[in-house]
Amino acid sequence: MASHRKSRPTGSLVAGLRTPALATAALTSVALLSQSAHASPAADDRPSLEEVEKKVDDLYRQAESATEKYNAAKEKTAKQRKRVDTLLDDVAQRTQKLNEAREQLGSFAAAQYRTGATAPDTATFLLADTPQDYFDQTQVMDRLTGRRKAAVDDYVTQQSETMKQRREATESLRTLTASQNDLRTAKATVQQKLTDARELLAKLTAEEKARLAAIEKRKQEEAARKAAELARQQQAEQQRQEEAAAARQEQQSGASSGTGTSGTSGTSGDTSASDPSYATKADKALAFARAQVGKPYVWGATGPDSYDCSGLTQAAWKAAGVDLPRTTYDQVNAGTTVPLSQALPGDLVFFYDDVTHVGLYIGNGMMIHAPKPGAYVREESIYYDGEGSIHSVVRPA
């Protein structure tokens, strides 16, 4: 980096100044040299490589957070669209029934007009050919009156239900519009964050990119060291549990009664480890995830050619017959939280305080995940972004 040191006049130069003109000229020269020293190294205003790395990482995290919001908005929009379609279909059916009820009322009105049923009873009696004709006509009209009342009641009911469904459809359409707006906002946010990150990286020189790669390599080496340390801890814990189980079994075999179940530790790790059904499902989820290694991360993608982080974990566990929600915000609540020391293959590992990333644990401190835009599905240490980035571990089945 270029020096910022200013040229300073020596003591002999200052002492040798005899006139104000010479002093002014000297001071002017010093000022110009000072300005040129500040102006020439324009590159000094650029952020350091570490600052660029942090900024890019932050942008990718923000993009991933926006991606999860996009996923949630997309899911909500799809559900709302289905709801609106159902309501509109129901409105159409009720409108048809309303029209049929209206037609029936019209036929009764026409029949009433033709038979003169609106005339007073005295006039009807006097105009009848015989008294018997009057009584026959009265019985017919009584039956018609009952049918007409039923038709009117049906019409009123259909009209009320139709209006109610139309109001619900209108409100659902309004909600759908709001969801679509949220979807567009989240999508624009993702795209802007990714554009900003690409622009920052594009400004790096070849030397800076090489130094950035070296920094990333050191981070990966530290992450691998932490993963190996966790693997040793988990192996030691597993050995302890096996020894404890063997001791309990030995006690039970020497006892006359079979009441040794009280010696179990009762931890979620022990329970799942002894549950063959979980191991079977986890194996299927892991087999699916491994088959996706090398496929690109694409925000909002759920496969089969590309994935985002939660899209991958959802698809993996779906292959094992377990339905997970779409977003990390919901997946983190779709199971039992377990300590990191008791994590088993197949568990979900969540990251960051806002729970915006997830990977599928494969054992020995490693996971399979879709890391970020520009990367591919891969196996990586769960400490890839530092120990402090790990939020929680959840067992989904």
Side-chain angles (χ1 to χ4, degrees):
M1 182 177 294
S3 174
H4 282 269
R5 290 179 300 174
K6 300 179 181 179
S7 300
R8 295 189 300 169
T10 62
S12 58
L13 176 59
V14 175
L17 294 177
R18 300 299 182 186
T19 65
L22 290 174
T24 301
L27 291 173
T28 302
S29 298
V30 171
L32 290 173
L33 288 172
S34 176
Q35 291 174 4
S36 63
H38 281 286
S40 59
D44 288 350
D45 293 334
R46 297 176 60 188
S48 68
L49 193 59
E50 288 75 13
E51 290 173 337
V52 171
E53 180 195 29
K54 184 179 184 305
K55 181 64 175 176
V56 170
D57 287 345
D58 287 346
L59 285 170
Y60 278 138
R61 274 198 56 201
Q62 292 168 18
E64 193 161 35
S65 176
T67 295
E68 290 304 314
K69 292 178 181 177
Y70 169 85
N71 292 338
K74 185 177 181 181
E75 186 176 42
K76 183 178 179 181
T77 299
K79 290 180 179 178
Q80 202 63 38
R81 168 57 66 186
K82 185 176 180 180
R83 170 65 175 164
V84 168
D85 290 343
T86 300
L87 285 172
L88 291 177
D89 288 343
D90 191 52
V91 167
Q93 294 174 4
R94 290 189 179 279
T95 300
Q96 177 63 29
K97 292 180 179 179
L98 183 63
N99 292 335
E100 292 174 356
R102 185 183 292 113
E103 290 176 0
Q104 189 173 19
L105 282 179
S107 66
F108 281 134
Q112 188 179 44
Y113 176 78
R114 286 193 303 270
T115 58
T118 57
D121 289 343
T122 303
T124 302
F125 177 78
L126 293 174
L127 293 172
D129 293 337
T130 65
Q132 186 60 46
D133 289 341
Y134 166 77
F135 289 115
D136 291 342
Q137 186 176 4
T138 299
Q139 291 177 358
V140 170
M141 290 311 301
D142 287 342
R143 290 195 297 270
L144 285 175
T145 299
R147 292 174 59 189
R148 184 167 61 248
K149 184 179 183 304
V152 170
D153 291 343
D154 182 56
Y155 175 80
V156 172
T157 300
Q158 295 298 336
Q159 186 181 44
S160 175
E161 289 296 325
T162 301
M163 293 302 295
K164 178 182 176 182
Q165 292 298 88
R166 283 176 178 169
R167 286 193 296 269
E168 288 186 18
T170 300
E171 181 60 31
S172 294
L173 281 171
R174 188 179 298 112
T175 304
L176 175 61
T177 300
S179 298
Q180 290 172 331
N181 290 337
D182 291 342
L183 190 63
R184 283 191 289 268
T185 300
K187 182 176 182 179
T189 300
V190 173
Q191 292 173 333
Q192 185 60 53
K193 298 297 182 184
L194 295 180
T195 298
D196 292 344
R198 283 192 291 266
E199 288 177 352
L200 276 175
L201 292 173
K203 293 177 181 178
L204 296 179
T205 65
E207 180 184 356
E208 288 172 330
K209 290 179 180 178
R211 288 170 55 200
L212 192 61
I215 293 174
E216 183 64 26
K217 183 179 179 181
R218 287 196 296 271
K219 288 175 60 177
Q220 291 176 353
E221 290 172 349
E222 175 61 17
R225 186 190 68 78
K226 293 288 293 181
E229 180 181 338
L230 176 62
R232 287 192 295 270
Q233 293 174 355
Q234 289 180 330
Q235 288 170 0
E237 176 65 16
Q238 182 178 0
Q239 183 176 358
R240 184 194 67 78
Q241 291 179 6
E242 290 174 351
E243 290 174 354
R248 288 194 299 270
Q249 186 175 5
E250 184 176 351
Q251 291 176 355
Q252 291 172 3
S253 62
S256 58
S257 62
T259 59
T261 55
S262 60
T264 59
S265 64
T267 63
S268 58
D270 291 344
T271 302
S272 294
S274 62
D275 182 5
S277 65
Y278 178 79
T280 300
K281 293 175 183 177
D283 286 343
K284 292 180 180 178
L286 291 172
F288 178 92
R290 287 192 174 95
Q292 313 313 309
V293 170
K295 293 183 178 181
Y297 176 105
V298 174
W299 63 274
T302 57
D305 300 321
S306 57
Y307 297 89
D308 63 16
C309 65
S310 55
L312 176 64
T313 51
Q314 182 189 46
W317 271 103
K318 185 176 182 179
V322 177
D323 290 327
L324 292 181
R326 175 63 183 93
T327 69
T328 54
Y329 311 130
D330 293 324
Q331 288 184 11
V332 74
N333 297 315
T336 303
T337 301
V338 298
L340 179 59
S341 61
Q342 296 178 9
L344 295 176
D347 289 351
L348 303 176
V349 185
F350 294 90
F351 297 85
Y352 311 118
D353 293 339
D354 54 357
V355 197
T356 52
H357 188 69
V358 62
L360 193 67
Y361 192 64
I362 61 176
N364 295 325
M366 302 292 288
M367 66 177 174
I368 297 175
H369 70 146
K372 60 184 179 182
Y376 297 84
V377 176
R378 65 192 182 204
E379 293 187 10
E380 193 166 28
S381 167
I382 63 173
Y383 299 102
Y384 80 108
D385 201 20
E387 185 173 2
S389 66
I390 299 175
H391 178 273
S392 59
V393 179
V394 172
R395 190 155 298 150

